[in-house]
Amino acid sequence: MTVEANRKPAKNLASDTAGIMAVVVGPSGAGKDTLMNLAARHLAGRPDVHFVRRIITREGDAGNEDHKSVSDADFDALQRAGAFAVSWEAHGLKYGIPAAVRDELALGHLVIANGSRSVLDRFQTAFPRLKVINITAQREVLAERLMARGRESREDVLKRLERGSLTVNGSYDVANIDNSGTLEEAERAIIAELEALIAR
């Protein structure tokens, strides 16, 4: 089940600290979107598990993520209306986590969102029960995957990887999943992490 932005947050629910927000982060090329899609397929049909459909100011068919595409003006209007629990900007795009996720958390459910390491402080403020799942891979593996996309030169890719960190900084509850090996191994790892959160 996905959480949509146009749903209004319910009133008079229990505290939104009842459930757990799992935010999945990681560098480009780590396979974050692929693993989230596989986990969503595995957990499909569970009423207590919800994958967030983010609101993004990019075309609906861009990327490997099922998101709701809006214009900059519409995004700003939604933000002014309080439609987001968390929002941020990166690489010229705007991203929003619908405020309706609080409904599911108030029911004690597990909510999984695609996030960013740069705004984990915002997620922690919005969601006291936060689990960070950091998808990583060895730098040489990341370089091969990024170069295979054909968007950057080898030199640009290597410079970007040198500048970036593969770890999560801060006092967060973090699970690190190394996706350098087979996709099946990483899939089992993320599903195990999510099932452990469901069992809490």
Side-chain angles (χ1 to χ4, degrees), residues 21 30 51 63 77 89 117 133 175 181 188:
M21 166 62 77
F51 285 82
E89 295 185 37
R117 289 172 295 173
I133 299 178
R188 286 195 296 270

Side-chain angles (χ1 to χ4, degrees), residues 9-24:
K11 304 295 184 182
N12 300 321
L13 290 175
S15 167
D16 64 3
T17 62
I20 297 175
M21 166 62 77
V23 57
V24 183

Side-chain angles (χ1 to χ4, degrees), residues 91-127:
H91 311 296
L93 298 174
K94 297 177 182 179
Y95 299 81
I97 303 296
V101 299
R102 297 189 181 113
D103 294 3
E104 311 303 342
L105 292 170
L107 295 172
H109 295 173
L110 173 64
V111 176
I112 302 119
N114 193 331
S116 170
R117 289 172 295 173
S118 65
V119 293
L120 284 177
D121 58 332
R122 300 182 192 179
F123 274 88
Q124 187 71 79
T125 298
F127 310 111

Side-chain angles (χ1 to χ4, degrees), residues 11-181:
K11 304 295 184 182
N12 300 321
L13 290 175
S15 167
D16 64 3
T17 62
I20 297 175
M21 166 62 77
V23 57
V24 183
V25 300
S28 295
K32 178 177 62 173
D33 291 337
T34 298
L35 289 176
M36 287 188 70
N37 289 337
L38 290 170
R41 187 182 310 162
H42 179 82
L43 296 169
R46 289 201 58 133
D48 55 347
V49 178
H50 307 271
F51 285 82
V52 176
R53 188 176 183 221
R54 297 193 298 180
I55 313 307
I56 309 176
T57 56
R58 72 180 176 200
E59 296 299 323
D61 57 355
N64 190 28
E65 175 185 355
D66 177 22
H67 65 279
K68 182 174 181 180
S69 176
V70 298
S71 67
D72 276 84
D74 286 344
F75 188 98
D76 293 342
L78 286 167
Q79 191 163 40
R80 287 192 298 271
F84 302 130
V86 178
S87 62
W88 68 97
E89 295 185 37
H91 311 296
L93 298 174
K94 297 177 182 179
Y95 299 81
I97 303 296
V101 299
R102 297 189 181 113
D103 294 3
E104 311 303 342
L105 292 170
L107 295 172
H109 295 173
L110 173 64
V111 176
I112 302 119
N114 193 331
S116 170
R117 289 172 295 173
S118 65
V119 293
L120 284 177
D121 58 332
R122 300 182 192 179
F123 274 88
Q124 187 71 79
T125 298
F127 310 111
R129 296 192 72 196
L130 180 70
K131 179 72 175 187
V132 179
I133 299 178
N134 184 37
I135 309 297
T136 64
Q138 297 172 8
R139 290 187 186 275
E140 55 269 29
V141 173
L142 292 175
E144 288 177 7
R145 291 174 183 169
L146 290 173
M147 285 185 289
R149 295 178 180 179
R151 302 174 192 166
E152 300 171 279
S153 68
R154 178 181 178 82
E155 182 179 357
D156 288 340
V157 166
L158 293 177
K159 283 181 179 178
R160 176 142 72 99
L161 291 176
E162 286 174 8
R163 290 194 305 267
S165 172
L166 301 183
T167 60
V168 171
N169 297 318
S171 56
Y172 304 105
D173 180 6
V174 182
N176 292 296
I177 295 177
D178 188 340
N179 190 23
S180 302

Side-chain angles (χ1 to χ4, degrees), residues 175-191:
N176 292 296
I177 295 177
D178 188 340
N179 190 23
S180 302
T182 67
L183 184 59
E184 289 76 13
E185 291 172 329
E187 178 186 2
R188 286 195 296 270
I190 192 172
I191 289 171

